[in-house]
Amino acid sequence: EQLVESGGGSVQAGGSLTLSCLVSGYAHNSYCMGWTRQAPGKEREGVAAIGRDETEMYTDSVKGRFSISKDDAKTIVALQMNSLKPEDSATYYCAAMGPNGLECSVSNLRRFGAWGQGTLVTVSS
């Protein structure tokens, strides 16, 4: 396994969860890492990305509520999710993108990144 997610679960609206992604193997060389999510019946959506220079990027719907981070060794990528809403319910996938000439962005990570098996987040109203 290259990307292994954990930390999903069920929470009430307004609550918080922290997702973690253990990065191993070739994924250590990724210059862009982050998270995507997919709700039942919906397309996969990019959520957050973090570049090699620690630049953080978020989709508009989570700005101010979610925070992405990674450790110096790039072995853990975390997503702190606060003020969760029912519409945040989805399977969350850790994603990584190696050097491919594309800029690190939420959109490119969603389209071109590799991802793990996912962890389910359910937010009840």
Side-chain angles (χ1 to χ4, degrees), residues 35 68 97 109 120:
W35 295 85
I68 189 171
M97 187 168 70
L109 192 63
L120 181 63

Side-chain angles (χ1 to χ4, degrees), residues 15 19 21 27 32 55 57 84 94 96 123:
L19 306 183
C21 175
C32 185
T55 299
M57 293 148 276
L84 282 162
C94 181
V123 185

Side-chain angles (χ1 to χ4, degrees), residues 24-118:
S24 63
Y26 78 91
H28 272 296
N29 295 321
S30 300
Y31 79 104
C32 185
M33 293 186 283
W35 295 85
T36 63
R37 67 186 180 187
Q38 187 166 22
K42 295 188 177 181
E43 291 188 357
R44 187 165 300 208
E45 173 188 26
V47 176
I50 186 165
R52 183 169 287 168
D53 61 356
E54 309 284 338
T55 299
E56 301 172 24
M57 293 148 276
Y58 301 93
T59 192
D60 287 346
S61 63
V62 307
K63 285 180 180 177
R65 300 188 298 120
F66 290 14
S67 178
I68 189 171
S69 63
K70 64 179 174 72
D71 67 355
D72 289 341
K74 294 196 297 182
T75 57
I76 298 288
V77 179
L79 185 68
Q80 174 67 43
M81 305 186 296
N82 299 322
S83 302
L84 282 162
K85 304 175 181 180
E87 51 263 43
D88 293 319
S89 296
T91 298
Y92 283 70
Y93 300 88
C94 181
M97 187 168 70
N100 58 9
L102 299 173
E103 69 171 337
C104 181
S105 69
V106 172
S107 176
N108 283 338
L109 192 63
R110 175 187 66 81
R111 294 174 63 195
F112 302 108
W115 49 75
Q117 296 300 308

